[in-house]
Amino acid sequence: MKPSVFWRLADDIPKPMSTALMVLSIAVPFALWWLVASLDLVNDKFLPSPLQVAQALGRLWTDGFLVGDTAASIMRVTVGFALAALVSVPIGIAMGAFASVRSLLEPIIGVVRYMPPPAFIPLLVIYLGLGEAPKIALIFMGTVFFNILMIMDAVKFVPKALLETTYTLGGQRRQALFQVITPYVVPNIIDTFRINIATSWSLVVVAELVAAENGLGKRIVLAQKFFNTDEIFACLIILGVIGFALDLSLRGLMKATCKWAVD
Amino acid sequence: MHLEINNLSKQFDTSQGSVLALDDINMHVETGEFVCAVGASGSGKSTLLRLVAGLDMPTTGEITVDGQAVTGPGSDRGMIFQSYTLYPWMSVQKNVEFGLKLQGVGPKERREMASYYLDVVGLTKFARSLPKQLSGGMKQRVAIARTLASRPKIMLMDEPFGALDVQTKETMQQFMLDLWNRTGVSILMITHDVDEAVFLSQRIYVLTAHPGTIQREVFVDLPSDRDYTIRRDRAFQDTREGIMDLLRGKTAPALVS
Ligand SMILES: Nc1ncnc2c1ncn2[C@@H]1O[C@H](COP(=O)(O)OP(=O)(O)OP(=O)(O)O)[C@@H](O)[C@H]1O
Ligand SMILES: [Mg+2]
């Protein structure tokens, strides 16, 4: 029997169908939310309607909080993650390429990465105070180790024959490292960043929930104090949309720079 | 060019014990020769080629190229692997240029050389393509162009057509033979395909397995400008059957050696 188009195994479906399904993916939950809220099954204070959330969004926008808090959160993620990226690329490649560096660093990273980053917040506050530094440090700590280990793994998958070819073409070890291994793992690095930036997006909110003067996490705490669930919903939606946009832009970066690795 | 291998042996020591992969190998390749080594799986063919390439070190014996002992890999001994080894992020053109780039050749000269060798292998039209857009046979031709562009003294080939289908393989064998006739490059190729060895080479070393030793050196007494019709030739068939007999463990008195 011919399988229906819907159940094609590990194969593409027609473009119109995939577009339709993608629209449904957002539209159905949204419609359900709308329905439940409008039926008045739940108190407005607990489940605001989409309209109320839109109004809350408008309020946050006109008060200037939306731009200010979003900018604050994005700035923390950007700085913290950029630092983590800067450190993790050379260390990850070195660990993948040199068994010696791997032996030296893998045990300590293996232990530290299992210490939940939020557990470091009290220490970070003691060491770095309440400003931007502890939040950036938290994001850095929470992502750098995973970045390193994932990049290291990618390097291990560089085909040995590709390196041996390089040597028989007259290449030196240095050239093999910088002109073969490094470009080979660039797509993996971008993918690693795409996956781990999600973690940093969570951590920034955690940090702001604990102690901050602004940021989307802080806005949520304040909204809770005044029982403004519509504002909480608004912030959650903003968080989701920005996170999704980050993901999409890293996918775009991959498509633009690594044509060879995407189909 | 004069490649010489003297009393070569290679033993692998693993946790399961040691394996003698090659034992007392003596062979040579001269300028412009096309030499093949044939042997069953496990006869140490790949090991032999890796030693010549300098990717592994022999246990005893030595390998010299023009009197210079081989101590490591170098562009004077270009290697074509059975697996495809194009750099996937580089265009075909950049792949062919890459060896020259590693050796510090300037961009302009690099481009010219690469274009020339792409023309030699008939892939000028694909200069801007990515490796993933090429068929297996085309990938190997790019790899050959890349190796040739470095002007090696000898080209080493490890079952380069092993992964290809029968038709493509035959096309590639003819291509290899024409290329060799045109460029005069010295070639040492290993294969388990006796037919391929007889078709391509002037001299064949027949290896035994476990440990790999040279059982016989066979001269192929055929003209150098061959095409597929030569397979119907009596001399071709006799040589091929003779080598097959050797590999089966029988004696083959009919062979020229
Ligand atoms: N790195 C290694 N470590 C341990 N043993 C090895 C290693 N490389 C090869 N051997 C052993 O040496 C012997 C010869 O291997 P080799 O790969 O050279 O054979 P081959 O003639 O190329 O075989 P095939 O036709 O299957 O490619 C085998 O018994 C193999 O197990
Ligand atoms: Mg082999």
Side-chain angles (χ1 to χ4, degrees):
Chain A
M1 208 182 74
K2 240 177 88 183
S4 67
V5 181
F6 194 94
W7 295 117
R8 273 187 199 164
L9 189 60
D11 202 357
D12 280 341
I13 54 172
K15 187 86 191 156
M17 184 174 181
S18 99
T19 312
L21 291 171
M22 283 161 78
V23 170
L24 283 181
S25 162
I26 300 285
V28 169
F30 190 79
L32 275 177
W33 171 26
W34 196 300
L35 191 73
V36 174
S38 64
L39 284 179
D40 267 339
L41 296 173
V42 193
N43 188 323
D44 273 3
K45 269 292 168 200
F46 289 101
L47 184 69
S49 71
L51 188 69
Q52 287 168 317
V53 172
Q55 283 165 346
L57 256 180
R59 222 163 43 237
L60 288 174
W61 169 266
T62 45
D63 293 350
F65 290 135
L66 188 60
V67 174
D69 289 329
T70 307
S73 296
I74 289 182
M75 196 279 297
R76 288 165 190 148
V77 167
T78 308
V79 176
F81 196 78
L83 287 175
L86 222 60
V87 171
S88 57
V89 169
I91 295 184
I93 290 179
M95 282 177 72
F98 305 105
S100 51
V101 180
R102 193 154 61 238
S103 299
L104 187 66
L105 297 179
E106 208 174 7
I108 182 69
I109 291 179
V111 173
V112 175
R113 77 159 162 154
Y114 277 110
M115 302 178 183
F120 283 88
I121 293 178
L123 264 188
L124 290 173
V125 170
I126 291 173
Y127 293 157
L128 301 170
L130 290 168
E132 294 303 307
K135 298 167 187 75
I136 291 168
L138 179 73
I139 292 165
F140 175 84
M141 286 184 43
T143 51
V144 74
F145 301 118
F146 286 91
N147 276 347
I148 289 175
L149 294 177
M150 287 167 76
I151 293 170
M152 172 189 86
D153 271 337
V155 172
K156 286 195 208 153
F157 282 101
V158 177
K160 201 164 162 242
L162 219 51
L163 295 175
E164 292 184 334
T165 298
T166 307
Y167 296 137
T168 61
L169 286 171
Q172 306 298 315
R173 275 157 18 102
R174 218 187 137 73
Q175 291 172 311
L177 183 61
F178 290 111
Q179 297 183 48
V180 178
I181 291 179
T182 305
Y184 192 94
V185 297
V186 165
N188 304 87
I189 291 177
I190 295 177
D191 241 0
T192 298
F193 289 172
R194 190 174 63 76
I195 291 163
N196 291 336
I197 204 154
T199 308
S200 68
W201 199 226
S202 307
L203 288 176
V204 75
V205 173
V206 172
E208 290 166 355
L209 287 175
V210 175
E213 270 150 29
N214 53 11
L216 289 166
K218 179 66 181 178
R219 191 56 44 204
I220 290 177
V221 177
L222 289 176
Q224 183 212 9
K225 260 191 197 144
F226 301 105
F227 220 85
N228 291 333
T229 45
D230 50 354
E231 276 186 21
I232 299 184
F233 268 68
C235 289
L236 286 173
I237 289 175
I238 298 292
L239 283 167
V241 168
I242 294 175
F244 189 56
L246 281 174
D247 200 274
L248 280 186
S249 47
L250 281 167
R251 276 180 211 267
L253 178 69
M254 173 86 111
K255 269 204 180 121
T257 58
C258 302
K259 277 210 182 61
W260 63 274
V262 290
D263 27 84
Chain B
M1 202 287 308
H2 172 71
L3 168 75
E4 198 170 307
I5 300 174
N6 290 321
N7 308 322
L8 188 78
S9 78
K10 175 68 181 177
Q11 179 169 323
F12 289 106
D13 298 311
T14 65
S15 49
Q16 281 94 346
S18 58
V19 184
L20 189 57
L22 291 170
D23 190 26
D24 195 27
I25 301 283
N26 290 283
M27 54 194 279
H28 66 103
V29 180
E30 308 302 329
T31 307
E33 262 195 312
F34 199 140
V35 175
C36 276
V38 295
S41 185
S43 55
K45 303 184 296 294
S46 295
T47 304
L48 174 63
L49 219 58
R50 292 177 58 82
L51 291 173
V52 177
L55 296 169
D56 271 325
M57 284 299 130
T59 307
T60 63
E62 71 162 2
I63 300 168
T64 60
V65 176
D66 291 337
Q68 288 263 333
V70 167
T71 55
S75 61
D76 57 329
R77 286 151 290 129
M79 177 101 156
I80 307 289
F81 293 84
Q82 176 177 352
S83 59
Y84 305 126
T85 54
L86 299 186
Y87 303 101
W89 62 95
M90 294 182 203
S91 67
V92 164
Q93 170 86 22
K94 295 276 182 231
N95 260 285
V96 178
E97 283 183 24
F98 192 62
L100 301 167
K101 186 177 176 194
L102 291 172
Q103 295 154 37
V105 177
K108 184 160 171 290
E109 195 180 337
R110 226 151 67 195
R111 253 193 315 276
E112 282 166 8
M113 295 270 275
S115 300
Y116 174 79
Y117 282 101
L118 271 181
D119 185 49
V120 168
V121 300
L123 288 175
T124 304
K125 271 201 299 190
F126 293 89
R128 290 155 164 275
S129 304
L130 283 172
K132 69 173 180 181
Q133 297 166 303
L134 306 182
S135 69
M138 286 155 81
K139 284 182 195 161
Q140 285 307 54
R141 269 148 67 191
V142 176
I144 289 166
R146 181 175 62 188
T147 296
L148 287 177
S150 294
R151 304 296 199 100
K153 289 180 176 174
I154 184 166
M155 184 153 75
L156 310 171
M157 307 181 85
D158 186 349
E159 305 211 32
F161 314 134
L164 302 176
D165 62 86
V166 179
Q167 278 87 24
T168 313
K169 191 169 178 169
E170 196 176 296
T171 316
M172 286 299 291
Q173 289 167 352
Q174 188 67 57
F175 161 80
M176 232 17 255
L177 201 56
D178 295 345
L179 184 89
W180 172 70
N181 272 313
R182 235 174 342 144
T183 60
V185 61
S186 316
I187 297 175
L188 172 59
M189 174 165 149
I190 61 168
T191 174
H192 61 255
D193 185 339
V194 176
D195 184 90
E196 174 169 277
V198 178
F199 181 73
L200 289 174
S201 53
Q202 301 166 302
R203 236 161 13 94
I204 298 173
Y205 290 101
V206 182
L207 303 182
T208 59
H210 307 296
T213 57
I214 292 182
Q215 187 180 8
R216 189 86 160 255
E217 177 186 4
V218 177
F219 290 84
V220 181
D221 196 12
L222 296 168
S224 61
D225 55 337
R226 308 166 195 175
D227 66 20
Y228 69 96
T229 56
I230 202 147
R231 290 193 163 92
R232 296 176 199 141
D233 202 291
R234 187 64 196 272
F236 182 94
Q237 290 171 3
D238 284 351
T239 311
R240 190 186 60 199
E241 290 312 311
I243 294 173
M244 294 291 280
D245 277 343
L246 287 175
L247 291 174
R248 288 180 192 116
K250 299 183 185 152
T251 51
L255 284 173
V256 189
S257 64

